[in-house]
Amino acid sequence: MTEDDLIRDVLSRVRTIAVVGFSANPARPSHGVARYLQSRGYQVIPVNPGLAGQTWLGGKVHASLAEIGGEVDMVDVFRRSEAVAGVTDEALALSPLPFAIWTQLGVRDDVAAETARARGVRVIQNRCPAIEIPRLGIARVA
C-alpha cells in the first residue's frame, strides 16, 4: 500500500477525530485544521488541558484523550515530536483503539509509530489532512 493509499483509506474510514494540541487562537494551524475537518463532515474533539471544559467549534474541550469517554477513530497530533510518544501511549490505552494516529507537518516519532503499528493502528506522520484531503480528492464525510 502506498502512502497515498494509506492516507485515502484513513480519511475515508474515520469519522471522529481528536485534535490533541488544539488552540483557541483561530490563527494557529491546529484551530484552522480542526475547523476544516469539521467543515468536511468529521466530528472534531478538541484536546488541550489548558482549555479543558471550554466550548470550541461547538464541542467541549477535553484535558486528555482518556477524558473523552467515547470512541475516537483518529488522533491528530499538534504537539512537538518529543510529545508524540506520550500521546501515542495515551491513544493506545483507549478502548477501543483508534483506527489511526496522525502527526502534523514537521512532527514525527518513528519509535512511537512502530509501537502503534504493532498494535494494529495505522500511522501517518509529517502530513496535514487539510492538505491531503483536497490533494487526493477525498469526498466529504456523510
Side-chain angles (χ1 to χ4, degrees), residues 8-113:
R8 261 190 217 92
D9 184 51
V10 166
L11 292 172
S12 298
R13 288 190 194 206
V14 303
R15 296 294 177 264
T16 304
I17 301 173
V19 177
V20 176
F22 173 81
S23 173
N25 181 347
R28 301 285 301 172
S30 62
H31 190 103
V33 170
R35 180 180 289 136
Y36 174 78
L37 290 170
Q38 195 174 54
S39 79
R40 300 292 301 175
Y42 298 98
Q43 178 189 357
V44 173
I45 303 169
V47 178
N48 181 325
L51 302 172
Q54 296 181 29
T55 299
W56 283 97
L57 304 179
K60 177 185 169 191
V61 181
H62 296 275
S64 66
L65 291 172
E67 187 185 279
I68 293 170
E71 191 168 334
V72 173
D73 298 326
M74 184 172 102
V75 176
D76 189 1
V77 184
F78 279 91
R79 301 282 313 278
R80 288 183 288 204
S81 295
E82 302 81 53
V84 172
V87 174
T88 299
D89 289 345
E90 192 177 350
L92 295 177
L94 297 174
S95 181
L97 288 174
F99 182 74
I101 297 173
W102 186 299
T103 66
Q104 287 295 317
L105 295 172
V107 179
R108 72 179 306 122
D109 180 329
D110 293 332
V111 173

